[in-house]
Amino acid sequence: MSSICLFHHNHLLIRSRNFQHDNRCFRVQSFTQIPDCSIRFRNLPKSSSRQNPSTSSPERPLEKPGFISQIDSNDDDENLDEVAPSSPSSSTSSKPFASLIQSFREKLKLDELGMEIMSIALPAALALAADPITSLVDTAFVGHLGSTELAAVGVSISIFNLVAKLFNIPLLNITTSFVAEEQAVLVKGDDDDDVSTSLSHDSMGGSKKKFLPSVSTSLALAAAFGIGETIALFFGSGSLLNTMGIPVDSPMRIPAQQFTSIRAFGAPAIVLALAAQGTFRGFKDTKTPLYAIAAGNLVNAILDPIFIFFSGLGISGAAIATVISEYLIAFILLWKLNQEVQLVTPNVDGDKIARYLKSGGLLMWRSFAVLVTMTLSTSIAAREGSIPMAAYQICLEVWLALSLLTDALALAGQAILASSYSQKNYGEARRVIDRVLKIGLISGGSLAFVLFLGFGQLSSLFTTDLQVLNIARSGTLFVAVSQPMNAIAFVLDGLYYGVLDFGYASYSMVVIGLGTCLFFLLVVPQFGLYGVWTGLFLFMTLRVVAGILRLGTKKGPWKLVYSETNKDQDQDNR
């Protein structure tokens, strides 16, 4: 006969066990603490909310509520705590408002998920900010050559930005999602027919590299796109400048064509670097691209004065320095990537290429809708005159610059959500969606508060013209109030890409862009700049509404994420 004490909630159970015949259990509803009693009960450690039950330690199996745990009588006293009787008077009802605040703080705390989001978003924000800073450095050096050269470089940069947004950025976003999908499946060890991932042996170094079909496909498409862009920009620079309103007899024509033709040779490096960046983002690594971009931009800043002034190459020297820095960035990224992944495969996967082209085509239409909307808003603002246009440009530059911060948050949400979604960990996917949306809302609100107080001082950095400053300050309300809406809109973009919802992301943007353009054409001309700012705010608001409707209706890939069956399974796993 042996006795074993069991404790569950407020009930003490004493089991008298005869291993041959007797097995009786007596339940005592309440008990009184006995001073001389030596019975002690162990406090079980709480499991992490981020821990996957399937991978938890087998030494301590996960217990479901209501089950009675057996207390090992041989545990050391130092690991045991004496149990005191619970007092009904100690329980107090929490106030609803306090509970709401506590719940909100719990959602925003920097736990493992929060730290993962920030570890991806912060380096990405710095990398995104590096390109505008480099453009400012180039502008500063070229500006010393004269106003004509400065204007010519501005036109050429606009052409390259147009090409990048239409062709290169879609490839970057698609690569991030597809690589994150394959990487997640490889980590999980799932042998899926649709996503074939494996390890390949490197005969030279003796190490094993991952083979992800999306990486080699993305790099192959990047090389093809880059060569095509080089040919188009080099031989078609004249036609492109005519489209931009730079005629043959313009003093800007020759320097703009020189700069565009030389920079065209850097197109393959640009697209390859973006494909490599997308791969690293899919690995949730945004630090490596940051280091590569910083190194390339530093070299560009060093070479600019050497080629422009000391070598006497002028605007051509600026283009040469930029091309060298672009190839350096591509080399660093591909060199680092080659240490982890097999870059080239002799087998061409037609299905992968078709998948890339289909998704890329959808995002190209999305980018086109955004470009048309933003271009139309700028053209309407330009009709108001040079002073209102200058004020509008200040507001727009601040508005777009701050979007880099929330765009980095969207990137983090995309990479983490793609990983959870690919592993069919829908409970984790819902937590990622909830967390990045809340962080985006808080970030947007914080930016709105800072801008509302300091936009006047910030705008004075761009110009000293009092007329321009007065008009620009009148746009403070637009720039500040729109920040929360901008943040949510960009985060929703990342969530679309994370679950491969490229179709809805494209079609909804085309419809929203069409509606906003109609508003610009029919309503805005009657209200001047205030109408333009209202139209841009409407544009971002409609994007948020479209995202909320998509998540709320739970259609497409969101049906799996928010399925009630998956919710029940997630609760059981907990």
Side-chain angles (χ1 to χ4, degrees), residues 77-197:
D77 288 345
E78 61 183 4
N79 295 327
L80 303 176
D81 295 324
E82 186 172 0
V83 176
S86 60
S87 174
S89 61
S90 62
S91 61
T92 59
S93 59
S94 59
K95 297 180 180 179
F97 183 75
S99 300
L100 180 63
I101 295 297
Q102 181 65 23
S103 175
F104 196 67
R105 290 177 60 187
E106 288 292 325
K107 293 292 184 182
L108 294 178
K109 65 181 181 180
L110 287 181
D111 55 4
E112 184 180 349
L113 176 59
M115 291 301 297
E116 185 178 13
I117 292 173
M118 299 309 296
S119 66
I120 297 174
L122 290 179
L126 294 176
L128 290 171
D131 285 336
I133 293 174
T134 303
S135 297
L136 290 176
V137 173
D138 287 340
T139 302
F141 284 119
V142 174
H144 288 82
L145 296 175
S147 58
T148 301
E149 288 78 4
L150 182 60
V153 169
V155 173
S156 179
I157 290 176
S158 298
I159 294 175
F160 279 92
N161 288 339
L162 179 64
V163 172
K165 290 179 180 179
L166 281 178
F167 301 102
N168 302 344
I169 300 302
L171 179 63
L172 169 66
N173 291 324
I174 293 169
T175 302
T176 300
S177 295
F178 287 172
V179 171
E181 177 188 38
E182 292 185 353
Q183 171 72 3
V185 172
L186 181 62
V187 170
K188 187 179 180 181
D190 186 7
D191 187 14
D192 189 79
D193 293 334
D194 295 331
V195 182
S196 59
T197 56

Side-chain angles (χ1 to χ4, degrees), residues 474-528:
S474 67
T476 301
L477 186 62
F478 154 72
V479 177
V481 173
S482 63
Q483 289 307 311
M485 203 65 67
N486 293 355
I488 297 298
F490 285 117
V491 168
L492 286 170
D493 289 345
L495 298 180
Y496 291 146
Y497 304 153
V499 297
L500 310 181
D501 197 5
F502 299 120
Y504 183 82
S506 175
Y507 301 142
S508 62
M509 183 60 72
V510 170
V511 174
I512 291 170
L514 180 61
T516 306
C517 288
L518 290 176
F519 180 83
F520 277 130
L521 294 173
L522 300 178
V523 179
V524 170
Q526 305 175 18
F527 299 96

